[in-house]
Amino acid sequence: EDELVMATNAAFPPYEYKDGDGYKGIDVEIAEAIAKKLGKKLVIEDVEFGAVLTGVAQGKYDFGMAGITVTEDRKKTMDFSNTYATGIQVIIVNDGSPIASLDDLASAKIGVQESTTGHIYCEDEFGADAVTPYANGALAVQALLAGKVDCVIIDNEPAKAFVEANAGLKILDTAYAVEDYAAAMSKDNAELYEAVNKALEELIADGTVKTIVEKYIPAN
């Protein structure tokens, strides 16, 4: 078995995004480094975020990296590697929006990326009627620009990229949630789990992961 198959959703810059015919990003480079350590060729399957999680849990893919947050609920269906990055969920609004803090979300229409923790948290907190899920973050942002939702809750890094790419948007100063990112794997393949996690541990220990993260997210 010379291939190592990673599932991702390549619409989440700077963790993963399309670059011409290939893929780039923090998760992509870390996954390439893991594959190299294991002497395998990395194959990337680009699917919707929800399909990353179900596919990994069912053993359809070797592992998933897609800015995946470790949650107690997800631990029931999959195993997680060591944490390699921290994510912050933030709130994007239109300039001049009446939404200025978390308190203002109670009456807002909220756009999220489907199956992400932002989606889960917002439905838990505000109810499903208040939340509109989109297949990816870019679609959620388009809906915000079109006035279909009042705000979008998504990871800080893609949020910054979306705000830079679209005039008239801003990120609120208050974070919505802070999270740990890890690689996700099936519970049924202990050997693969050990191999991937050991490779990742070595890459964290020798500074490779830090270098990759800082290449995309300069330390402030």
Side-chain angles (χ1 to χ4, degrees):
E1 180 68 356
D2 301 327
E3 291 182 347
L4 189 67
V5 181
M6 169 181 97
T8 194
N9 174 244
F12 199 67
Y15 291 96
E16 42 268 321
Y17 56 94
K18 289 194 175 87
D19 180 57
D21 293 335
Y23 299 97
K24 270 195 177 154
I26 292 169
D27 290 346
V28 174
E29 290 198 27
I30 293 173
E32 281 168 350
I34 290 169
K36 194 174 168 188
K37 267 196 181 287
L38 301 181
K40 293 177 183 283
K41 176 178 179 282
L42 183 71
V43 175
I44 294 175
E45 292 285 345
D46 180 19
V47 296
E48 286 193 358
F49 187 77
V52 173
L53 299 177
T54 51
V56 165
Q58 292 161 1
K60 187 175 171 184
Y61 312 111
D62 291 327
F63 68 115
M65 286 180 82
I68 301 173
T69 304
V70 180
T71 68
E72 289 309 312
D73 214 34
R74 288 176 182 170
K75 280 182 182 171
K76 293 172 189 163
T77 58
M78 59 193 91
D79 281 340
F80 286 100
S81 70
N82 289 23
T83 299
Y84 62 85
T86 305
I88 302 169
Q89 294 272 330
V90 296
I91 304 156
I92 309 175
V93 294
N94 289 301
D95 286 341
S97 167
I99 298 172
S101 73
L102 294 176
D103 299 337
D104 301 325
L105 292 176
S107 57
K109 286 184 190 154
I110 303 168
V112 293
Q113 183 179 348
E114 201 167 16
S115 304
T116 59
T117 46
H119 183 184
I120 297 159
Y121 299 156
C122 289
E123 281 205 348
D124 284 352
E125 193 172 345
F126 306 110
D129 290 348
V131 182
T132 308
Y134 294 91
N136 57 52
L139 289 171
V141 169
Q142 291 308 314
L144 174 62
L145 288 164
K148 290 176 186 164
V149 293
D150 301 319
C151 65
V152 169
I153 293 182
I154 197 165
D155 180 277
N156 189 35
E157 294 305 324
K160 288 196 292 204
F162 291 135
V163 168
E164 274 171 28
N166 298 282
L169 298 178
K170 65 179 180 183
I171 296 170
L172 296 187
D173 288 340
T174 46
Y176 182 65
V178 179
E179 317 173 302
D180 289 326
Y181 286 165
M185 285 165 275
S186 151
K187 284 187 173 291
D188 303 329
N189 195 335
E191 196 182 338
L192 178 72
Y193 176 83
E194 288 298 326
V196 169
N197 202 37
K198 182 171 178 286
L200 181 60
E201 276 178 4
E202 289 169 6
L203 293 164
I204 290 170
D206 71 11
T208 303
V209 166
K210 187 170 188 274
T211 304
I212 292 170
V213 170
E214 286 180 355
K215 177 176 154 186
Y216 289 93
I217 308 175
N220 295 339

